């Protein structure tokens, strides 16, 4: 109890604003801000695949603008979430279906991925498939490793 009383006594001559500024300065010295790239733009998008908008309160809404997930979606998703994770203005991310489609996602776009999945001209079909799965997984890993909490707002089936 004595330490708290002494702390209050030490700042009793300061105005409320001066005490708050002194506290903020102390916290900034104890926990310096990390270097941050320039602020994320208000809108980030790859037309037809994925888009995001940053609200003033730090909440980012990510829209999955494609009903299915073509291979490019995984790559762009990874880029987007790594960008969002590097900005401290981002406090939370909500992932939802795009505004023009009724459902969250049907899953992998087999028509667009089919050529990639069936290509056997590399080191072998299994090696090629394993490489693709690892590349595509990086997009979801970026979501899991995002510094801000990520919420999926799922609608439909």
């Amino acid at each position: 109890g004595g330490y708290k009383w002494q702390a209050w006594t030490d700042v009793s001559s300061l105005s409320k604003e001066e005490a708050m500024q002194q506290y903020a300065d102390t916290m900034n010295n104890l926990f310096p801000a990390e270097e941050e790239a320039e602020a994320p733009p208000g809108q980030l998008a790859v037309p037809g695949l994925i888009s995001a908008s940053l609200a003033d309160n730090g909440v980012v809404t990510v829209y999955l603008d494609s009903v299915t997930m073509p291979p490019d979606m995984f790559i762009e998703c990874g880029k987007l979430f790594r960008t969002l994770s590097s900005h401290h203005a981002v406090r939370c991310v909500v992932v939802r279906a795009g505004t023009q489609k009724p459902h969250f996602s049907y899953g992998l776009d087999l028509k667009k991925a089919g050529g990639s999945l069936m290509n056997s001209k590399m080191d072998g079909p299994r090696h090629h498939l394993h490489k693709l799965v690892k590349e595509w997984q990086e997009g979801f890993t970026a979501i899991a490793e995002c510094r801000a909490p990520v919420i999926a707002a799922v609608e439909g089936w």
Side-chain angles (χ1 to χ4, degrees), residues 3-36:
Y3 291 109
K4 186 176 181 180
W5 180 85
Q6 186 60 48
W8 279 109
T9 302
D10 291 345
V11 296
S12 63
S13 64
L14 299 175
S15 70
K16 179 180 176 182
E17 289 75 22
E18 290 171 322
M20 287 191 306
Q21 185 60 53
Q22 186 178 15
Y23 176 78
D25 292 343
T26 300
M27 290 297 107
N28 287 333
N29 288 334
L30 288 172
F31 306 102
E34 296 176 22
E35 291 273 332
E36 184 176 321

Side-chain angles (χ1 to χ4, degrees), residues 1 13 57 60 67 69 71 74 84 88 90 94 96 109-110 118-119 129 131 133 135 140:
S13 64
N57 62 1
V60 173
V67 176
M69 299 180 80
F74 297 95
L84 295 175
H88 295 284
V90 176
V94 178
R96 61 180 311 124
D109 186 328
L110 293 174
M118 301 305 161
N119 183 355
L129 180 59
K131 181 181 171 194
V133 169
E135 287 174 6
F140 288 121

Side-chain angles (χ1 to χ4, degrees), residues 42-111:
Q43 287 280 353
L44 300 167
V46 175
L49 286 182
I50 192 167
S51 60
S53 62
L54 173 63
D56 291 339
N57 62 1
V59 175
V60 173
T61 303
V62 172
Y63 296 96
L64 302 180
D65 295 325
S66 176
V67 176
T68 59
M69 299 180 80
D72 290 347
M73 170 77 87
F74 297 95
I75 292 155
E76 296 304 328
C77 187
K79 288 178 189 175
L80 174 64
F81 274 87
R82 282 188 289 279
T83 298
L84 295 175
S85 191
S86 70
H87 294 285
H88 295 284
V90 176
R91 298 182 60 218
C92 178
V93 181
V94 178
V95 181
R96 61 180 311 124
T99 57
Q100 300 301 314
K101 63 184 195 112
H103 304 292
F104 190 71
S105 175
Y106 291 123
L108 180 63
D109 186 328
L110 293 174
K111 284 185 180 178

Side-chain angles (χ1 to χ4, degrees), residues 120-134:
S120 61
K121 296 181 182 178
M122 303 239 349
D123 299 332
R126 289 183 184 171
H127 173 77
H128 180 68
L129 180 59
H130 183 253
K131 181 181 171 194
L132 280 174
V133 169
K134 284 177 67 175

